[in-house]
Amino acid sequence: MEKSAIYHQPFSSYAYGYDSETLHIKIRSKRGDVKEVTLIAADPYLHTKAGWSSKEISLRKVATTEEHDYWFVAIKPEQRRLQYGFVLVDTDGVDIFYGGRGFYENTSENRAIMDYYFKFPFLHESEVFKAPEWVKKTIWYQIFPERFGNGNPALSPENVLPWGSKDPGRDDFFGGDIEGIIQHLDYLVELGINGIYLTPVFEASTNHKYDTLNYFEIDPHFGDKETFRKLVKEAHNRGIKIMLDAVFNHIGDKSPEWQDVLENGSESRFVDWFHIHSFPVTPGENGNIEGENTLSFDTFAYTMHMPKLNTTNPDVQKYLLDIATYWVREFDIDGWRLDVANEVDHAFWKEFNKAVRTEKEDIYILGEIWHDSWAWLLGDEFDSVMNYPFTQTIIENFVEERIKPTKMVSGINEQLMRYQEQVNHVMFNMLDSHDTARLLTRCEGDKERAKLALAFMFAHTGSPCIYYGTEIGMDGADDPLCRKCMEWDEAKQDKEMLAFMKKLIAFRKVNQEILTYGDLEWHVVDDINRIVTFSRTLGVKRLIFLFNQSEVVQRIEKSDLGIQTELRNVWTDETVTDIQVAAKSFTILES
């Protein structure tokens, strides 16, 4: 038995409160090394004359990666406290006891020593991670406001270009605004959308608005506060949630605060709002050259246009928290997406969480983090992050074909095991965004590959997001080409892709419960034929997904899927006797 591969840690994703009564417990072992894991557990104070009254509960293997197996059990301690250890049996029949003090022989004497066990002293409901319930049922649609719809041309800047007249450059304006979004809300309802994520709408000089000048005003080229209030109201009337983008890591260099620092230097009353190493901070002086690592103050990346805010400063904290609560309180927004969230200190995000939750208990807090985000997802900061590791794993297999199906499955399993289960339920899943090339472009124009990737994403737990225009076959390389104007000419829209997306969204809504909570089991994962099959099971309901990335029809045996019963193809509503999956296609079965 490979002891070095065995891992468990209380108060982590390996042992946590799932709800007010239930503990989730996981343990990791080397792949294929252990055949059986038993939990030895009971209340630490439950003693009789015969000794500690523990119970033995079998764990089930729930995930396998390239290196590890993961074992799981859900348990409801009667008094909400638990003392526990594990007995592991390897493939040769050798057993061992593992607890808080390490490994011991699996003897009755060792199992009687209370100090050898892990402890979960008390399951406090206040410490259980809780995310807004509505997010689990939400299909998001990301809108880049400057490129979605020009509803009020009178607001457009002087240098506005005709809508969709050219591929966008970094500094181009096409006149998209909030009224343009309002005018197309019914289109989104018809598509099946019930959540909109807007990139920044606050006053700024650029088309992307990530260089904020005034967080308390809507950008005048987008509209005003009353227009925004109308958007929220009209969206809510249609059952659509609204999430705004908060850029709190940095501010625009044309903001009054930074301009004061430029003018007054170290005497500025805002000098402590920023991370300044030396003066002057004037462009072109003291190493302050755009894109160079010699800047005399901290910024987003190496751009002088976005000086980094000092969120440990009390005045900065108050300023930003006032902004966060203002838009919730006055306009009833439903969520905040937090830009460059990993570069802001944890203490500030904890205060942010408390402040916005006071205004609206079920507000959704989404962080932009592109890597392992455990430290932000403990319940007192974010509800979710943009699930880029999940995104990239799908992209690398289905889109770029750089990794094999077994590598993809390993990566997805590892990602699911990384977090608490209720975190996974509300993860923000997407395949493209304003920060990446569009899905169809990454697929080199191959719609069938794009459909496979989209269907695969929609089949997994989490809250899926579509980038505007994906549903009508829009393409575009990296920024700025991924920010093209939305195509509203129906003659230029891909109607077949639109019908597919409507069907996929409708399927997700009908099956939301099983796709959120259902157990995931992988069946055939074939690198040679590029076949991936898995099932989602909840109670007596079971959905089986079969993905064929190859260029030929693939036949799957019922026995490979653990099926005995008659099958129905829920995607085509047909009875199935012979399981075949067309080339570069997928099938969804129900047993």
Side-chain angles (χ1 to χ4, degrees):
M1 188 182 300
E2 187 65 64
K3 294 179 184 177
S4 62
I6 296 169
Y7 181 78
H8 174 82
Q9 176 64 50
F11 307 104
S12 73
S13 61
Y14 287 82
Y16 59 89
Y18 177 71
D19 56 34
S20 61
E21 300 178 335
T22 310
L23 282 176
H24 279 184
I25 295 177
K26 290 186 290 195
I27 186 172
R28 189 191 75 189
S29 62
K30 180 183 176 181
R31 177 173 179 161
D33 189 40
V34 172
K35 69 176 182 181
E36 181 182 324
V37 180
T38 302
L39 186 75
I40 313 298
D43 189 305
Y45 301 107
L46 194 60
H47 291 272
T48 67
K49 291 181 179 179
W52 183 52
S53 300
S54 62
K55 296 181 179 178
E56 297 188 6
I57 306 168
S58 294
L59 281 73
R60 61 188 176 92
K61 186 161 62 175
V62 293
T64 295
T65 68
E66 290 180 317
E67 297 86 13
H68 300 112
D69 291 328
Y70 292 84
W71 306 78
F72 171 84
V73 68
I75 186 170
K76 293 188 176 184
E78 188 173 345
Q79 304 300 328
R80 290 185 289 168
R81 57 194 177 219
L82 198 70
Q83 178 170 281
Y84 62 96
F86 304 91
V87 172
L88 300 97
V89 183
D90 69 13
T91 54
D92 294 323
V94 176
D95 63 355
I96 199 164
F97 174 80
Y98 175 54
R101 292 272 302 281
F103 297 95
Y104 296 89
E105 289 185 52
N106 182 31
T107 63
S108 57
E109 290 81 7
N110 284 335
R111 284 166 56 167
I113 299 175
M114 299 298 99
D115 191 44
Y116 285 177
Y117 286 82
F118 291 106
K119 308 291 193 296
F120 203 102
F122 199 82
L123 174 52
H124 293 278
E125 184 174 7
S126 62
E127 296 176 351
V128 173
F129 179 97
K130 297 185 185 77
E133 191 67 25
W134 59 265
V135 177
K136 302 172 188 176
K137 303 174 184 178
T138 302
I139 311 294
W140 293 99
Y141 191 87
Q142 183 190 352
I143 292 176
F144 191 82
E146 218 283 320
R147 305 291 157 77
F148 190 65
N150 189 339
N152 185 356
L155 299 176
S156 299
E158 292 182 4
N159 57 340
V160 68
L161 297 169
W163 192 258
S165 57
K166 64 183 284 289
D167 284 344
R170 289 193 178 275
D171 301 319
D172 290 339
F173 288 86
F174 291 89
D177 52 36
I178 292 172
E179 186 61 41
I181 300 171
I182 294 171
Q183 292 174 6
H184 292 102
L185 285 175
D186 289 338
Y187 165 83
L188 297 180
V189 170
E190 186 179 347
L191 180 59
I193 297 303
N194 52 8
I196 296 174
Y197 153 42
L198 296 170
T199 56
V201 297
F202 306 124
E203 187 176 356
S205 59
T206 58
N207 54 43
H208 55 72
K209 311 301 178 192
Y210 281 98
D211 56 338
T212 315
L213 305 182
N214 187 345
Y215 294 89
F216 285 101
E217 294 294 337
I218 298 294
D219 190 273
H221 296 310
F222 285 172
D224 56 24
K225 290 179 180 177
E226 290 312 306
T227 310
F228 179 71
R229 192 185 307 278
K230 179 183 176 184
L231 169 63
V232 177
K233 182 178 179 180
E234 293 292 334
H236 285 175
N237 288 343
R238 291 166 172 81
I240 298 175
K241 304 287 188 179
I242 296 290
M243 178 165 64
L244 292 183
D245 204 325
V247 189
F248 289 173
N249 173 68
H250 52 268
I251 199 169
D253 64 337
K254 295 181 181 178
S255 64
E257 295 81 5
W258 184 250
Q259 286 296 311
D260 193 274
V261 174
L262 282 173
E263 181 178 348
N264 298 303
S266 60
E267 301 302 315
S268 170
R269 65 190 182 98
F270 295 107
V271 68
D272 292 331
W273 279 46
F274 304 96
H275 300 267
I276 299 172
H277 309 301
S278 65
F279 289 94
V281 294
T282 310
E285 300 180 30
N286 196 22
N288 295 313
I289 302 170
E290 180 69 16
E292 297 294 330
N293 65 355
T294 55
L295 302 181
S296 67
F297 55 96
D298 292 343
T299 63
F300 168 69
Y302 291 115
T303 173
M304 293 185 299
H305 302 296
M306 299 180 183
K308 183 178 176 65
L309 287 165
N310 176 15
T311 50
T312 64
N313 180 290
D315 291 336
V316 174
Q317 290 178 8
K318 183 179 185 306
Y319 175 64
L320 297 179
L321 295 179
D322 284 348
I323 292 161
T325 54
Y326 173 77
W327 292 96
V328 180
R329 181 174 60 255
E330 299 297 328
F331 298 89
D332 197 27
I333 66 166
D334 305 287
W336 278 114
R337 182 264 190 186
L338 308 172
D339 189 59
V340 201
N342 57 337
E343 295 187 24
V344 177
D345 62 282
H346 289 282
F348 174 77
W349 288 134
K350 293 179 196 300
E351 292 302 317
F352 176 93
N353 180 296
K354 288 188 286 188
V356 296
R357 288 265 190 262
T358 299
E359 297 294 339
K360 194 170 193 174
E361 187 176 1
D362 68 344
I363 193 167
Y364 182 49
I365 305 174
L366 170 68
E368 184 207 10
I369 300 180
W370 292 56
H371 52 76
D372 180 6
S373 306
W374 165 258
W376 291 268
L377 295 170
L378 301 178
D380 57 353
E381 294 186 46
F382 307 159
D383 296 313
S384 173
V385 293
M386 302 182 80
N387 202 4
Y388 278 107
F390 176 75
T391 300
Q392 288 305 110
T393 301
I394 295 175
I395 292 289
E396 287 171 3
N397 176 65
F398 280 102
V399 176
E400 299 171 346
E401 298 184 348
R402 289 200 298 113
I403 63 173
K404 296 178 179 179
T406 52
K407 179 77 170 179
M408 178 187 69
V409 170
S410 174
I412 289 173
N413 281 345
E414 186 168 336
Q415 187 68 11
L416 290 171
M417 293 297 103
R418 194 179 299 275
Y419 303 122
Q420 300 175 57
E421 186 175 341
Q422 61 267 49
V423 172
N424 291 326
H425 292 163
V426 294
M427 287 296 270
F428 192 87
N429 296 337
M430 69 285 168
L431 294 178
D432 51 6
S433 74
H434 70 290
D435 284 326
T436 70
R438 284 186 172 272
L439 177 62
L440 193 58
T441 294
R442 297 178 88 168
C443 290
E444 300 177 324
D446 188 337
K447 284 197 305 180
E448 303 313 312
R449 258 198 287 169
K451 289 178 185 177
L452 282 171
L454 285 162
F456 189 87
M457 179 184 77
F458 269 68
H460 287 275
T461 191
S463 190
C465 179
I466 302 162
Y467 187 38
Y468 79 95
T470 293
E471 75 279 8
I472 55 168
M474 283 179 59
D475 61 5
D478 291 325
D479 174 23
L481 296 178
C482 58
R483 303 173 181 183
K484 291 181 181 179
C485 293
M486 177 66 175
E487 181 57 75
W488 291 112
D489 183 348
E490 293 188 10
K492 297 180 181 179
Q493 294 179 348
D494 187 330
K495 294 298 181 62
E496 192 272 336
M497 189 68 172
L498 180 59
F500 168 80
M501 287 307 305
K502 287 181 178 179
K503 186 175 181 179
L504 185 61
I505 291 169
F507 168 81
R508 171 80 192 195
K509 286 184 170 181
V510 169
N511 295 283
Q512 177 269 323
E513 192 170 0
I514 190 171
L515 296 179
T516 299
Y517 302 106
D519 291 338
L520 170 65
E521 182 180 1
W522 302 96
H523 300 291
V524 180
V525 182
D526 184 341
D527 288 344
I528 303 299
N529 296 303
R530 298 195 72 83
I531 293 286
V532 178
T533 71
F534 60 91
S535 60
R536 306 295 307 276
T537 305
L538 185 65
V540 297
K541 184 172 182 177
R542 187 176 187 225
L543 295 175
I544 304 103
F545 297 83
L546 305 95
F547 289 82
N548 176 14
Q549 295 174 251
S550 75
E551 302 286 345
V552 298
V553 175
Q554 298 285 351
R555 183 172 280 103
I556 308 293
E557 299 297 329
K558 279 188 177 183
S559 58
D560 292 331
L561 306 174
I563 297 171
Q564 304 291 332
T565 59
E566 185 179 77
L567 295 170
R568 182 174 70 91
N569 187 324
V570 297
W571 190 251
T572 61
D573 196 25
E574 299 172 322
T575 300
V576 175
T577 53
D578 184 25
I579 305 174
Q580 297 185 57
V581 188
K584 296 173 71 173
S585 183
F586 67 92
T587 297
I588 308 173
L589 307 175
E590 185 174 22
S591 62

